[in-house]
Amino acid sequence: MGSFFSNCCKGDPADELAFEKGLNSYQQYSTTQQPQCLQDAIQSFQSCLDLRLETRKDLAARGRPESRAFSEKIAKVYLNLTIALLSQYEKQPTPANLQRLAQIEPNLFKEWGTDHPQNYVSILYNVATAYNRGYIQATSQLPPSAFDPPNDTSILNPTELFSRAYARFAQILTVQDGVTGMTSSMRGMALSGLAKLELLQYQRSRSPSAVGDSHALDKAISHFKEASLSFSTLDEDKLLLRECLESLATAYYKRFDEVVNSGHNHEDLGMSIKHYRNARRKYNAQRDYREQTTWIQCSHHLAMALYNRYEINRHNNHLEQQRQGLLTVGNTELSANSAALKDLGEAREVETEAKQVLDALSEEDMISTLRLDDIKRNVDNLLGVLAEHSAHASAQSSRQPSPAPSSNAHN
């Protein structure tokens, strides 16, 4: 007979004792962050689960129905074990720890079935994020962890990790707003999670000889767009919205820069500029180092996109003048229209502001600490190019008759 029945007359059954021990150990871990407390909690919850599953098997063998209360007890121990395993993976994000989580969490949602308890959505999101992190690790070809056994064939492969992460993010979107804590912000986070996975899939499919999975890139843009509409303008959503807008801008830029013959590359470049601008406006005036780092990167990406559009408009203007016979045979200089010059001016202004922040960080000897050496080099290089083009445009303008002053020049 199972342990539940053999212990029911001796005070609390063994499974209840193990469950209480698990709760106490996890509470101690939450307070002390001692790894041993977490291990004790996982071991106790697993012992409780084993006992309750044994009891379930005994009931089935005896042809006795399982009470709702007992089913809820099994779901409860699955929930607490899943939370503990998520905590373990957060502390030690190894494939072996993720594998153990992967063995437990599907059973939790199976036990819940169509029930959506209050923590349903948050657990879904945390599990999806864990698989997403595992997918990034698995595809980045990092050296194996000392925590993982060698040649462990049970470890999830990248395809499985991608599918599980994608399925869990998508599962969140099936929950209606207001149900079990589901909010518009959580919907946006799930949509962003899907979009980031699709962007990773696109990036992983690229090679020197292949364009990449443009369908995945199209889906990423679609999901980022939808996500950006899910976040509010309130302070608690500001960071989420900003990250979403920057990711959307990056996705548009990739489609402009990397997908040939897409038919809308110039439109994609314009959308990239629009969203980089919007994201850049959402940074706080008082920035810490992390905020400064991401602001510099966003500014540089915006300046690069503006420079690209300047080059396109400048070249197209030259071709149009050439077609109309307005360029003399000896004039090989590419003239620029007002739209191109406006982009050039904004690009230089944005990159100059990024340079000023970088220079201040250089004085604090923080460039290497913040790993900004490459971005500083890129900013300096682009500023040099922009300065050269600005000087050339000014020289061309000085040889032309000055335009009549506009009455709204300062508006």
Side-chain angles (χ1 to χ4, degrees):
M1 210 168 272
S3 299
F4 178 86
F5 296 103
S6 61
N7 286 279
C8 66
C9 298
K10 302 177 182 178
D12 289 339
D15 64 324
E16 295 289 352
L17 292 172
F19 186 74
E20 286 300 320
K21 184 179 178 182
L23 289 177
N24 292 334
S25 296
Y26 192 79
Q27 180 60 46
Q28 290 176 8
Y29 168 72
S30 299
T31 303
T32 66
Q33 294 296 300
Q34 290 294 321
Q36 187 57 51
C37 295
L38 181 57
Q39 291 302 316
D40 290 343
I42 291 172
Q43 184 176 349
S44 295
F45 287 137
Q46 184 65 60
S47 297
C48 175
L49 178 62
D50 292 341
L51 290 168
R52 287 181 179 173
L53 291 179
E54 183 182 348
T55 301
R56 170 176 280 177
K57 186 186 297 184
D58 288 344
L59 288 170
R62 292 157 59 92
R64 297 181 60 178
E66 182 178 306
S67 69
R68 180 175 179 81
F70 185 68
S71 299
E72 290 175 351
K73 282 187 175 183
I74 290 182
K76 197 171 183 179
V77 71
Y78 268 125
L79 170 62
N80 283 274
L81 180 54
T82 297
I83 291 173
L85 291 172
L86 280 166
S87 298
Q88 178 179 252
Y89 182 68
E90 183 180 359
K91 282 292 184 181
Q92 294 182 350
T94 68
N97 284 341
L98 185 57
Q99 176 69 23
R100 189 167 183 192
L101 173 66
Q103 292 168 343
I104 294 298
E105 63 87 10
N107 296 299
L108 170 62
F109 293 104
K110 183 179 178 181
E111 292 292 331
W112 273 341
T114 57
D115 292 337
H116 291 166
Q118 191 63 31
N119 43 18
Y120 180 84
V121 172
S122 61
I123 293 294
L124 267 176
Y125 184 79
N126 289 333
V127 167
T129 302
Y131 286 133
N132 183 38
R133 184 174 184 176
Y135 175 71
I136 293 173
Q137 286 180 316
T139 55
S140 63
Q141 298 181 336
L142 295 174
S145 168
F147 294 105
D148 293 321
N151 303 320
D152 189 345
T153 57
S154 68
I155 300 301
L156 295 167
N157 62 45
T159 301
E160 291 172 311
L161 290 166
F162 180 92
S163 297
R164 285 181 179 239
Y166 202 95
R168 289 307 186 213
F169 280 131
Q171 194 172 342
I172 294 172
L173 301 178
T174 65
V175 182
Q176 295 181 349
D177 287 352
V179 177
T180 68
M182 182 65 176
T183 63
S184 179
S185 294
M186 177 56 76
R187 189 170 301 279
M189 290 164 65
L191 286 164
S192 291
L194 289 176
K196 289 174 183 177
L197 278 169
E198 288 153 351
L199 202 55
L200 286 169
Q201 184 183 44
Y202 162 75
Q203 202 66 32
R204 193 169 173 233
S205 67
R206 291 192 72 236
S207 69
S209 60
V211 172
D213 184 358
S214 59
H215 182 58
L217 186 55
D218 293 341
K219 288 197 296 182
I221 289 173
S222 177
H223 279 131
F224 276 133
K225 284 172 64 177
E226 192 177 351
S228 69
L229 300 175
S230 299
F231 297 120
S232 72
T233 56
L234 300 176
D235 286 345
E236 56 262 32
D237 277 2
K238 184 181 292 185
L239 178 59
L240 294 170
L241 177 58
R242 189 180 77 199
E243 290 178 346
C244 180
L245 290 173
E246 284 192 61
S247 297
L248 177 56
T250 299
Y252 270 122
Y253 190 85
K254 284 182 179 294
R255 195 162 70 176
F256 153 74
D257 190 46
E258 298 170 358
V259 180
V260 294
N261 300 322
S262 64
H264 47 258
N265 273 356
H266 294 177
E267 180 183 343
D268 284 342
L269 181 58
M271 294 301 291
S272 178
I273 290 170
K274 172 186 173 181
H275 293 301
Y276 275 133
R277 280 174 177 158
N278 288 341
R280 193 169 179 267
R281 294 189 190 105
K282 298 189 182 303
Y283 282 87
N284 296 322
Q286 300 297 324
R287 306 184 186 98
D288 55 22
Y289 286 138
R290 182 178 179 183
E291 187 94 344
Q292 286 175 330
T293 297
T294 53
W295 178 85
I296 291 166
Q297 292 169 336
C298 181
S299 299
H300 176 64
H301 293 154
L302 173 58
M304 277 296 302
L306 286 163
Y307 173 69
N308 272 279
R309 192 165 69 177
Y310 154 75
E311 283 279 76
I312 291 170
N313 287 338
R314 174 172 167 261
H315 183 67
N316 288 344
N317 191 58
H318 169 78
L319 293 178
E320 178 61 20
Q321 290 189 358
Q322 192 176 52
R323 186 183 67 81
Q324 296 180 14
L326 299 178
L327 294 182
T328 62
V329 175
N331 183 9
T332 59
E333 294 179 344
L334 297 184
S335 58
N337 59 23
S338 59
L341 291 176
K342 184 178 179 181
D343 281 341
L344 177 63
E346 184 182 353
R348 191 176 183 187
E349 179 183 343
V350 168
E351 199 75 334
T352 298
E353 291 175 358
K355 168 71 171 172
Q356 290 170 347
V357 176
L358 281 165
D359 286 345
L361 290 173
S362 294
E363 293 175 4
E364 299 176 39
D365 294 326
M366 290 300 297
I367 295 295
S368 295
T369 302
L370 298 174
R371 299 180 180 179
L372 293 174
D373 300 86
D374 288 342
I375 191 73
K376 184 178 186 305
R377 187 159 43 249
N378 292 335
V379 167
D380 289 339
N381 289 341
L382 180 57
L383 262 180
V385 172
L386 293 172
E388 185 177 342
H389 279 272
S390 297
H392 184 72
S394 297
Q396 278 191 297
S397 177
S398 66
R399 295 197 294 268
Q400 302 295 328
S402 300
S406 170
S407 59
N408 59 356
H410 297 287
N411 291 347

